[in-house]
Amino acid sequence: MPKYTCLTDLDLSWSAINDKTLCSLTTLVQLQQLSVGYCKAVTSYGVSKLLAAVTCLAVLDARGCPGIHRSLAGTISNVKPLQIVHLNLSHGDNVSDVTLANLYCQDLQHLVLASCKQLENDAVSNLVARAPRLRLLDLQLCNKLIAPRISSPTLCTILLNDCKNMCVASINYIGQHCPELREVHLRDTQTTDETLCLLARNCVHLQVVNVSRCPAVSDAGIIELANCCSYLRDVDLSWNTSLTDRSLLVLAQCTVYLFKLCRY
């Protein structure tokens, strides 16, 4: 593609491209972001050729690509140092513990694994421990996760929405071991008031909290959050029938930056 050698961002999602197409993109030496989401004919072979030639590629969106997920680990391991900082492997039925175990992640900052339903506890825990720059981790709808131990001094955003099987001890562990959190998404999980108290005391820079559909959350947890986290700006409390106006009043009084509050 000689005409487009200055391209930095290319979205080919939902197209009929294949590995031959990806190999033709190796002339795009300034390419920084590439999306091949749901391109079923693309495999790890094409990705490896592209990674080897385009060294400034930083963002790869490969959601819903079974041909990439199946052998991604070997592809990533053979191209080092990998410069990708944002990797999306969501909706990957073939993303497994083996994929994560071999994933080169020293440079990763954003990792999206939503709806990767084969992932289990140790693989996720170990990956986070090997990713010293990780800032965002998306594990929504990863239903096999029951007791991962997620600990990161750099993590700013974690999404656990609809991880219904994750035990409360693991959710609490995050509140104790991820002090830089700014966003926590816990919709429809086993989150309790204890979880919110741990987050409030250890993650004082929290700005966004989603605890909708968490029946074990009460006024006590929300009040502790409001008293300790003065930077809150977006709080979702919807579908929590045990909450009263008492916690809402404290939120309004203590969080001067709050501009979005969901309660219905």
Side-chain angles (χ1 to χ4, degrees):
M1 300 178 67
K3 291 184 186 177
Y4 307 105
T5 54
C6 293
L7 271 179
T8 60
D9 190 343
L10 183 59
D11 188 347
L12 298 171
S13 301
W14 296 98
S15 66
I17 64 166
N18 54 28
D19 287 342
K20 184 176 180 180
T21 311
L22 286 189
C23 290
S24 73
L25 300 180
T26 56
T27 58
L28 303 180
V29 293
Q30 297 186 46
L31 191 63
Q32 298 175 25
Q33 299 187 47
L34 175 65
S35 178
V36 291
Y38 303 99
C39 295
K40 306 294 186 181
V42 169
T43 74
S44 292
Y45 172 79
V47 173
S48 65
K49 292 295 185 183
L50 188 64
L51 288 176
V54 184
T55 57
C56 61
L57 188 64
V59 178
L60 177 62
D61 183 348
R63 73 185 79 183
C65 294
I68 292 178
H69 299 161
R70 194 171 294 117
S71 56
L72 178 74
T75 298
I76 297 296
S77 298
N78 291 331
V79 184
K80 296 182 180 178
L82 182 66
Q83 294 183 340
I84 287 181
V85 297
H86 186 160
L87 182 61
N88 188 339
L89 300 176
S90 60
H91 299 275
D93 292 339
N94 295 314
V95 175
S96 66
D97 291 353
V98 174
T99 307
L100 296 193
N102 294 303
L103 189 64
Y104 184 79
C105 54
Q106 287 294 307
D107 300 313
L108 275 179
Q109 295 180 21
H110 290 196
L111 180 60
V112 181
L113 298 168
S115 294
C116 291
K117 298 181 179 180
Q118 300 303 314
L119 295 181
E120 298 190 14
N121 302 321
D122 289 346
V124 172
S125 303
N126 293 335
L127 180 139
V128 174
R130 294 186 291 110
R133 298 178 177 86
L134 193 63
R135 295 177 62 81
L136 180 148
L137 180 63
D138 186 346
L139 297 170
Q140 297 177 92
L141 282 166
C142 291
N143 295 325
K144 277 195 173 183
L145 292 180
I146 297 173
R149 294 171 69 84
I150 297 173
S151 174
S152 171
T154 60
L155 195 64
C156 294
T157 300
I158 189 162
L159 297 96
L160 298 174
N161 292 337
D162 303 301
C163 289
K164 300 178 182 181
N165 298 322
M166 189 178 293
C167 69
V168 67
S170 286
I171 301 173
N172 290 351
Y173 189 86
I174 294 167
Q176 294 170 303
H177 295 88
C178 299
E180 292 301 315
L181 282 174
R182 266 65 170 174
E183 294 192 26
V184 181
H185 299 263
L186 300 169
R187 182 191 67 218
D188 206 359
T189 62
Q190 298 181 34
T191 298
T192 65
D193 286 340
E194 183 184 5
T195 308
L196 295 185
C197 289
L198 289 168
L199 287 168
R201 295 164 191 168
N202 298 312
C203 310
V204 296
H205 301 295
L206 274 177
Q207 299 175 17
V208 179
V209 176
N210 183 343
V211 288
S212 62
R213 297 185 184 273
C214 294
V217 168
S218 74
D219 285 338
I222 299 302
I223 289 171
E224 184 70 13
L225 198 67
N227 284 329
C228 296
C229 301
S230 58
Y231 297 105
L232 285 173
R233 56 182 176 82
D234 186 340
V235 179
D236 191 341
L237 307 175
S238 53
W239 302 103
N240 289 338
T241 55
S242 60
L243 296 178
T244 70
D245 290 346
R246 180 167 163 256
S247 55
L248 302 183
L249 181 60
V250 176
L251 270 171
Q253 292 173 336
C254 297
T255 54
V256 296
Y257 299 104
L258 189 68
F259 73 88
K260 183 179 179 182
L261 175 62
C262 292
R263 177 73 179 102
Y264 53 85

